Amino acid sequence: MVFFFALLGGLGVAILADWLLFAPWVRAPKRKSIIKAALLQAGMTNVAPSKFVVICLGCGLAFGILTLGLTGTVLFAAVFFGFGVFAPWVYLRHQATKRQAALQEQWPEVVDHLRSAIRAGLSLPEALSQLATVGPQILRPLFADFALDYRATANFSVSLEQLGERLADPVADKILTTLRITREVGGTDLGHTLATLSAFLRDDVRTRGELAARQSWIVSAARLAVAAPWILLLVLGTQEAAKEAYMTAGGVIVLGLGVGISVICYRVMLRLGALPVEERVLS
């Protein structure tokens, strides 16, 4: 009995010390997977990450079988299997970049519509819902979903959060955060704030358009430079002498080094050719 009470007292002292000396343990918020974030940025909300992985494997298998049929070499088929697995990811990132550029051109118009609707006396939910019919064509389905969510839940914050998740855009996060703060704490300068934001967005779109036009040919040339050796390898793979040369230990080392150098150069090319990307506020 004495031992039991001593153990109970020691446990109480340990809990008290833990409460006084250590910060409470908080579960870190679960981060979205890279694939899911890329799918959202590309607007492919109906594609699950697991389905995208299956698509990558299927594409890699198709590349491998096609290469094996053309060259009859398992080594070349394995190399192009890896390229095939990576190809859908490259396409996904391209679509995401293309969609982000298209959205950036539309945000000033969205801000102008919101400003006009608010000045006309509409509430914030009504102003956002109205964009399903008068907003830019590319964004109308997303604002229509917001209107459905708001009618179903009557909760502006939850509907706004779901809209931000579907848009997956840093500029949208700024606009939605401004609207949320105005809704929660009130304010009379929303019209002036939206006008300033619209002017800033138009300047940003104009500057990014000029930079993208200057860098597009450089990025295209770099991509061609990365792809050209492997297209040549596929052509050479139909020749018996080339296949015998690459099937040696030295040939395997050369292919391995070539794959590594191509991947590194492609990443460096993307890093040098990419414009600065704003981080999301609501991610």
Side-chain angles (χ1 to χ4, degrees):
M1 184 63 69
V2 175
F3 175 76
F4 173 75
F5 282 111
L7 183 61
L8 190 62
L11 181 61
V13 172
I15 293 175
L16 183 61
D18 179 73
W19 177 68
L20 292 175
L21 300 178
F22 302 99
W25 180 79
V26 179
R27 182 184 295 273
K30 186 178 180 180
R31 298 183 62 183
K32 295 178 182 177
S33 66
I34 297 177
I35 296 177
K36 185 174 182 180
L39 289 170
L40 288 174
Q41 291 174 356
M44 302 179 183
T45 55
N46 57 341
V47 179
S50 57
K51 184 178 180 181
F52 180 76
V53 172
V54 172
I55 292 174
C56 290
L57 294 177
C59 187
L61 188 61
F63 271 53
I65 292 175
L66 182 61
T67 305
L68 184 62
L70 289 174
T71 64
T73 306
V74 178
L75 179 61
F76 290 175
V79 171
F80 280 89
F81 170 80
F83 290 156
V85 170
F86 190 62
W89 175 256
V90 175
Y91 173 77
L92 180 65
R93 296 305 305 168
H94 173 71
Q95 288 298 111
T97 303
K98 184 178 179 181
R99 179 177 178 267
Q100 295 295 317
L103 289 179
Q104 285 179 349
E105 296 179 357
Q106 303 300 328
W107 286 126
E109 183 181 349
V110 170
V111 174
D112 289 341
H113 279 301
L114 286 174
R115 182 173 173 235
S116 299
I118 292 171
R119 292 180 64 181
L122 296 180
S123 64
L124 292 180
E126 290 173 340
L128 286 171
S129 300
Q130 192 183 46
L131 291 173
T133 55
V134 301
Q137 195 68 35
I138 189 176
L139 294 171
R140 289 184 181 182
L142 299 175
F143 286 108
D145 292 338
F146 166 81
L148 292 175
D149 291 339
Y150 184 72
R151 283 198 296 266
T153 63
N155 190 319
F156 182 70
S157 297
V158 173
S159 302
L160 208 63
E161 183 177 351
Q162 293 174 350
L163 176 61
E165 184 176 350
R166 295 190 191 101
L167 290 170
D169 185 83
V171 179
D173 291 345
K174 292 180 180 179
I175 299 172
L176 299 183
T177 301
T178 302
L179 297 179
R180 174 178 293 174
I181 294 174
T182 303
R183 174 82 171 186
E184 292 177 355
V185 303
T188 59
D189 294 333
L190 180 59
H192 177 70
T193 302
L194 291 178
T196 304
L197 180 59
S198 177
F200 170 77
L201 292 177
R202 282 189 167 83
D203 291 339
D204 185 65
V205 169
R206 183 166 51 254
T207 303
R208 284 181 176 271
E210 295 175 357
L211 292 175
R214 295 179 181 179
Q215 291 184 345
S216 60
W217 69 273
I218 300 176
V219 175
S220 299
R223 287 174 177 167
L224 180 61
V226 171
W230 300 104
I231 297 175
L232 180 61
L233 176 67
L234 188 62
V235 174
L236 292 176
T238 59
Q239 306 295 323
E240 290 296 330
K243 288 191 288 187
E244 292 177 359
Y246 280 108
M247 289 302 293
T248 62
V252 174
I253 293 174
V254 169
L255 281 179
L257 290 176
V259 171
I261 292 173
S262 296
V263 172
I264 293 174
C265 290
Y266 184 77
R267 295 295 301 172
V268 171
M269 178 268 295
L270 290 181
R271 181 63 61 87
L272 294 178
L275 296 176
V277 179
E278 299 179 69
E279 294 186 3
R280 293 193 57 201
V281 177
L282 302 180
S283 60

